[in-house]
Amino acid sequence: MNTPVASWQAVLDADGCAYTVHEHAAAHSVAERRTLPFPLSQAVKTLAFTTRNIPLVLAALRAEDQVDFARLARALAVGRSQLRMADAGLLAVEGLIPGGIPPVSHRPAVPCLIDTAVAEPPRPVYCGADSADRTLQIESAVLARLPRARVTSFSR
């Protein structure tokens, strides 16, 4: 199947980094994801947030971890009460699909926070790639050095 290059893929291509997009059967649930040939210990989820001053923030953390909202707010230099999950309308405008959000954005104003547990130790990680039937494989060190990426600790 010849899939058009997504805007986030264009960012990776412009960087010249190595990555692979795997196509597979759609996996929506944890049980379905466990049937995929990717180590769950290296799975990364990307969540989308918004604040009063930052329209969209991507936050990438290990799939098994949870966001510590107070730590994430501090990393963004905002009060906890200003931090909100991005709603379906904003995600749709940005072309993002819950459960398939890649940890890279083509928009210059969109920061991506990479949790320390994703970046260290350096290793291949498996992330969302725009849909339930695609997975991005990329080195965690590459994610950490991309434009607008910042490694910080915000998981619990």
Side-chain angles (χ1 to χ4, degrees), residues 80-140:
R80 167 60 186 99
S81 63
Q82 294 179 34
L83 183 64
R84 300 272 186 262
M85 294 288 296
D87 63 27
L90 175 60
L91 293 179
V93 166
E94 292 292 327
L96 300 173
I97 300 166
I101 300 173
V104 180
S105 176
H106 67 288
R107 300 217 191 265
V110 176
C112 185
L113 301 182
I114 310 292
D115 188 67
T116 305
V118 170
E120 299 169 8
R123 65 192 179 282
V125 293
Y126 301 87
C127 316
D130 279 341
S131 69
D133 62 354
R134 293 170 34 128
T135 296
L136 167 65
Q137 177 183 344
I138 191 165
E139 291 292 324
S140 60

Side-chain angles (χ1 to χ4, degrees), residues 16-98:
C17 64
Y19 69 92
T20 303
V21 176
H22 300 278
E23 295 187 8
H24 49 74
H28 298 280
S29 68
V30 172
E32 289 172 331
R33 287 188 181 107
R34 285 189 175 140
T35 67
L36 299 177
F38 314 117
L40 284 176
S41 62
Q42 293 169 254
V44 171
K45 63 185 172 189
T46 304
L47 303 175
F49 295 89
T50 186
T51 75
R52 186 176 305 140
N53 298 323
I54 309 170
L56 181 65
V57 175
L58 301 179
L61 65 160
R62 295 182 310 178
E64 64 200 33
D65 292 342
Q66 295 180 5
V67 172
D68 181 319
F69 290 92
R71 291 171 91 185
L72 182 59
R74 277 194 303 276
L76 294 168
V78 300
R80 167 60 186 99
S81 63
Q82 294 179 34
L83 183 64
R84 300 272 186 262
M85 294 288 296
D87 63 27
L90 175 60
L91 293 179
V93 166
E94 292 292 327
L96 300 173
I97 300 166

